[in-house]
Amino acid sequence: MEFKPLFTGQLVRLAAPKPDDNVHFAKWSENDEYLRFADNDPARPITPEDWTQFEASILNSPNSFHFRLRTLADDTLIGGVGLFQVQWTHGVGSLGIAIGDSTYWGKGYGTDALKLILGYAFRELNLYRVSSSTISYNVRSVKAHEKVGFCQEGRQRNAIQREAQRFDVIHFGILRPEWEALQSQ
């Protein structure tokens, strides 16, 4: 049997953490635009030590699978992606992705990473459904989700407030049969 690459895409690869990665994540936390795209928590810079503690709290779960995103061209760390809240009984999980290095925004790296993590979810973890969400002003994220086959399943209207404006949270989902159909195209 011939296996398709599990960790390597066209532009990025799913990688394990390296000792100095937390320095990069802390540096990215100084970019308020990145923070406002990546999460709906209040933006605030963090130290490498804070990142280490945060990551330890999520990585130690048997229901989470997190990877670094490194470029194939030169092994540059550009972000992270992961599956979390995996419910094994139901075969479902949620994903999160963030491209921290703004040099790589809007160039297909996020889409490539989404393809990889979905392949991991469906081929390696044998999940049936993967969900994700993004804030409506994150147009790049919305397009990337739709490009890899996610369907919009709902909206939380006006759920996020930034700069005295309200924005929706868009909820996405993709099922294994939908993903499989895209693999044969």
Side-chain angles (χ1 to χ4, degrees):
M1 175 174 193
E2 185 176 327
F3 293 107
K4 294 180 182 177
L6 192 59
F7 302 124
T8 305
Q10 299 298 309
L11 299 170
V12 297
R13 68 183 178 89
L14 304 179
K18 291 185 178 179
D20 66 338
D21 287 352
N22 292 345
V23 172
H24 295 281
F25 283 93
K27 181 70 175 163
W28 296 331
S29 81
E30 296 173 6
N31 178 344
D32 56 356
E33 185 179 14
Y34 160 72
L35 291 177
R36 288 174 163 196
F37 280 128
D39 202 351
N40 58 11
D41 290 336
R44 67 180 178 94
I46 61 171
T47 66
E49 295 77 21
D50 289 340
W51 180 262
T52 300
Q53 286 183 337
F54 164 74
E55 196 169 51
S57 71
I58 58 174
L59 290 180
N60 291 331
S61 167
N63 302 321
S64 294
F65 300 84
H66 295 268
F67 301 94
R68 300 292 196 254
L69 294 173
R70 295 190 175 279
T71 63
L72 293 182
D74 59 7
D75 203 43
T76 298
L77 175 67
I78 64 168
V81 65
L83 296 159
F84 55 96
Q85 297 175 340
V86 173
Q87 297 176 18
W88 299 108
T89 301
H90 306 295
V92 301
S94 297
L95 76 75
I97 180 173
I99 306 294
D101 187 332
S102 60
T103 307
Y104 296 89
W105 292 355
K107 297 180 180 173
Y109 290 87
T111 299
D112 195 42
L114 284 172
K115 288 178 183 177
L116 282 173
I117 199 67
L118 287 175
Y120 187 82
F122 294 126
R123 292 172 39 225
E124 188 68 11
L125 299 183
N126 199 31
L127 296 183
Y128 183 80
R129 180 189 194 301
V130 176
S131 63
S132 184
S133 63
T134 194
I135 303 168
S136 59
Y137 59 72
N138 192 344
V139 176
R140 287 187 304 264
S141 178
V142 171
K143 287 181 180 179
H145 278 81
E146 291 173 344
K147 196 179 292 185
V148 301
F150 277 95
C151 298
Q152 287 192 26
E153 295 183 328
R155 285 180 176 260
Q156 286 178 285
R157 296 174 300 135
N158 294 320
I160 303 296
Q161 180 175 304
R162 294 276 161 83
E163 305 286 340
Q165 295 181 41
R166 306 294 309 189
F167 299 94
D168 296 350
V169 173
I170 302 172
H171 296 280
F172 292 97
I174 186 169
L175 306 177
R176 175 194 290 273
E178 296 166 340
W179 177 81
E180 288 173 341
L182 291 171
Q183 304 315 298
S184 61
Q185 293 179 357

Coordinates of all heavy atoms in Angstrom, one line a residue, residues 36-69:
R36 N -5.7 40.0 16.8 CA -7.1 40.2 16.5 C -7.7 39.3 15.4 O -8.9 39.1 15.3 CB -7.3 41.7 16.2 CG -7.2 42.5 17.4 CD -7.3 44.0 17.1 NE -7.5 44.7 18.4 CZ -7.9 46.0 18.4 NH1 -8.1 46.6 17.2 NH2 -8.1 46.6 19.5
F37 N -6.8 38.8 14.6 CA -7.2 37.8 13.6 C -7.2 36.4 14.2 O -8.1 35.6 13.8 CB -6.3 37.8 12.4 CG -6.5 38.9 11.4 CD1 -5.5 39.7 10.9 CD2 -7.8 39.1 10.9 CE1 -5.7 40.7 10.0 CE2 -8.1 40.1 9.9 CZ -7.0 40.9 9.5
A38 N -6.3 36.1 15.1 CA -6.1 34.7 15.6 C -7.2 34.4 16.6 O -7.5 33.2 16.8 CB -4.7 34.6 16.1
D39 N -7.7 35.3 17.4 CA -8.5 35.0 18.5 C -9.4 36.1 18.9 O -9.3 37.3 18.4 CB -7.6 34.7 19.7 CG -8.2 33.9 20.8 OD1 -9.4 33.6 20.8 OD2 -7.5 33.5 21.7
N40 N -10.5 35.8 19.7 CA -11.4 36.9 20.1 C -11.1 37.3 21.5 O -11.9 38.1 22.1 CB -12.8 36.4 19.9 CG -13.2 35.2 20.6 OD1 -12.4 34.7 21.5 ND2 -14.3 34.6 20.3
D41 N -10.0 36.8 22.1 CA -9.6 37.3 23.5 C -9.1 38.7 23.3 O -8.6 39.1 22.2 CB -8.6 36.4 24.1 CG -9.2 35.0 24.5 OD1 -10.4 34.9 24.7 OD2 -8.4 34.1 24.5
P42 N -9.0 39.5 24.4 CA -8.4 40.8 24.3 C -6.9 40.6 23.9 O -6.2 39.7 24.4 CB -8.5 41.3 25.7 CG -9.7 40.6 26.3 CD -9.7 39.2 25.7
A43 N -6.5 41.5 23.0 CA -5.1 41.4 22.6 C -4.1 41.9 23.7 O -4.4 42.9 24.3 CB -4.9 42.3 21.3
R44 N -3.1 41.1 23.9 CA -2.0 41.5 24.9 C -0.8 40.7 24.5 O -0.8 39.5 24.2 CB -2.5 41.3 26.3 CG -2.6 39.8 26.7 CD -3.1 39.7 28.1 NE -3.2 38.3 28.5 CZ -2.3 37.5 29.0 NH1 -1.1 38.0 29.3 NH2 -2.6 36.3 29.3
P45 N 0.4 41.4 24.6 CA 1.6 40.7 24.4 C 1.9 39.7 25.5 O 1.5 39.9 26.7 CB 2.7 41.8 24.4 CG 1.9 43.1 24.2 CD 0.5 42.8 24.8
I46 N 2.6 38.6 25.2 CA 3.0 37.7 26.2 C 4.4 37.4 26.1 O 5.1 37.6 25.1 CB 2.1 36.4 26.1 CG1 2.4 35.7 24.8 CG2 0.7 36.6 26.4 CD1 1.8 34.3 24.7
T47 N 5.0 36.8 27.2 CA 6.4 36.5 27.2 C 6.6 35.0 26.7 O 5.6 34.3 26.7 CB 7.0 36.5 28.7 OG1 6.3 35.5 29.4 CG2 6.7 37.9 29.3
P48 N 7.8 34.6 26.4 CA 8.0 33.2 26.0 C 7.6 32.3 27.1 O 7.0 31.2 26.8 CB 9.5 33.2 25.7 CG 9.9 34.6 25.3 CD 9.0 35.5 26.1
E49 N 7.8 32.7 28.3 CA 7.4 31.8 29.5 C 5.9 31.7 29.6 O 5.4 30.6 29.9 CB 8.0 32.4 30.8 CG 9.5 32.4 30.8 CD 10.2 33.5 30.0 OE1 9.5 34.5 29.7 OE2 11.4 33.4 29.6
D50 N 5.2 32.8 29.4 CA 3.7 32.7 29.4 C 3.2 31.8 28.3 O 2.3 31.0 28.5 CB 3.1 34.1 29.1 CG 3.3 35.0 30.3 OD1 3.5 34.5 31.5 OD2 3.2 36.2 30.1
W51 N 3.9 31.9 27.1 CA 3.5 31.0 26.0 C 3.7 29.5 26.4 O 2.9 28.6 26.1 CB 4.2 31.3 24.7 CG 3.7 30.4 23.6 CD1 4.4 29.3 23.2 CD2 2.5 30.4 22.9 NE1 3.6 28.7 22.2 CE2 2.5 29.3 22.0 CE3 1.4 31.3 22.9 CZ2 1.4 29.1 21.2 CZ3 0.4 31.1 22.0 CH2 0.4 30.0 21.2
T52 N 4.8 29.2 27.0 CA 5.2 27.9 27.4 C 4.1 27.4 28.4 O 3.6 26.2 28.2 CB 6.6 27.9 28.1 OG1 7.5 28.3 27.2 CG2 6.9 26.5 28.6
Q53 N 3.7 28.2 29.3 CA 2.6 27.7 30.3 C 1.3 27.5 29.6 O 0.6 26.5 29.8 CB 2.5 28.7 31.4 CG 3.6 28.7 32.4 CD 3.3 29.7 33.5 OE1 2.6 30.7 33.4 NE2 3.9 29.4 34.7
F54 N 0.9 28.4 28.7 CA -0.3 28.3 28.0 C -0.3 27.0 27.1 O -1.3 26.2 27.2 CB -0.5 29.5 27.0 CG -1.6 29.3 26.0 CD1 -2.9 29.3 26.3 CD2 -1.2 29.1 24.7 CE1 -3.9 29.1 25.3 CE2 -2.2 28.9 23.7 CZ -3.5 28.8 24.0
E55 N 0.8 26.8 26.4 CA 0.8 25.6 25.6 C 0.8 24.3 26.4 O 0.2 23.4 25.9 CB 2.1 25.7 24.7 CG 2.1 24.8 23.5 CD 3.2 25.1 22.5 OE1 4.3 25.2 23.0 OE2 2.9 25.2 21.4
A56 N 1.5 24.3 27.5 CA 1.5 23.1 28.3 C 0.1 22.7 28.8 O -0.2 21.6 28.8 CB 2.4 23.3 29.5
S57 N -0.7 23.8 29.0 CA -2.1 23.5 29.5 C -2.9 22.8 28.4 O -3.8 22.1 28.7 CB -2.7 24.8 30.0 OG -3.0 25.6 28.9
I58 N -2.6 23.1 27.1 CA -3.4 22.5 26.1 C -2.8 21.3 25.4 O -3.5 20.4 25.0 CB -3.8 23.5 24.9 CG1 -2.5 24.1 24.3 CG2 -4.7 24.6 25.5 CD1 -2.8 25.0 23.1
L59 N -1.5 21.2 25.5 CA -0.8 20.0 24.9 C -0.9 18.8 25.7 O -0.7 17.7 25.1 CB 0.7 20.4 24.6 CG 1.0 21.4 23.5 CD1 2.5 21.6 23.4 CD2 0.4 21.0 22.2
N60 N -1.1 18.9 26.9 CA -1.1 17.7 27.8 C -2.5 17.0 27.8 O -2.7 16.0 28.5 CB -0.8 18.1 29.2 CG 0.7 18.5 29.3 OD1 1.5 18.0 28.6 ND2 1.0 19.4 30.3
S61 N -3.4 17.4 26.9 CA -4.6 16.7 26.8 C -4.5 15.6 25.7 O -4.0 15.8 24.6 CB -5.7 17.7 26.3 OG -6.9 17.0 25.9
P62 N -5.1 14.4 26.0 CA -5.1 13.3 25.1 C -6.1 13.6 23.9 O -6.2 12.8 23.0 CB -5.5 12.1 25.9 CG -6.3 12.6 27.0 CD -5.7 14.0 27.3
N63 N -6.8 14.7 24.0 CA -7.8 15.0 23.0 C -7.4 16.2 22.2 O -8.2 16.9 21.6 CB -9.2 15.3 23.7 CG -9.6 14.1 24.5 OD1 -9.5 13.0 24.1 ND2 -10.2 14.4 25.7
S64 N -6.1 16.5 22.2 CA -5.5 17.7 21.4 C -4.3 17.2 20.7 O -3.5 16.4 21.2 CB -5.2 18.8 22.3 OG -6.3 19.4 23.0
F65 N -4.2 17.7 19.4 CA -3.0 17.4 18.6 C -2.6 18.7 17.9 O -3.3 19.3 17.1 CB -3.4 16.4 17.5 CG -3.9 15.1 18.1 CD1 -5.2 15.0 18.5 CD2 -3.1 14.1 18.3 CE1 -5.7 13.8 19.1 CE2 -3.5 12.9 18.9 CZ -4.8 12.8 19.3
H66 N -1.4 19.2 18.4 CA -0.9 20.5 17.9 C 0.4 20.4 17.2 O 1.2 19.6 17.6 CB -0.8 21.5 19.1 CG -2.1 21.8 19.7 ND1 -2.9 22.9 19.4 CD2 -2.8 21.2 20.7 CE1 -4.0 22.9 20.1 NE2 -4.0 21.9 20.9
F67 N 0.5 21.2 16.2 CA 1.7 21.1 15.3 C 2.2 22.6 15.1 O 1.5 23.5 15.1 CB 1.5 20.5 14.0 CG 0.9 19.1 14.1 CD1 -0.4 18.8 14.1 CD2 1.8 18.0 14.2 CE1 -0.9 17.5 14.2 CE2 1.4 16.7 14.3 CZ 0.0 16.5 14.3
R68 N 3.5 22.7 14.8 CA 4.1 23.9 14.3 C 4.0 23.9 12.8 O 3.9 22.8 12.2 CB 5.6 24.0 14.7 CG 5.9 24.0 16.1 CD 5.4 25.3 16.8 NE 6.0 25.5 18.1 CZ 5.3 25.3 19.2 NH1 4.1 24.9 19.2 NH2 6.0 25.5 20.4
L69 N 3.9 25.0 12.2 CA 3.9 25.1 10.7 C 5.2 25.7 10.3 O 5.6 26.8 10.7 CB 2.8 26.1 10.3 CG 1.3 25.6 10.5 CD1 0.3 26.7 10.2 CD2 1.1 24.3 9.7

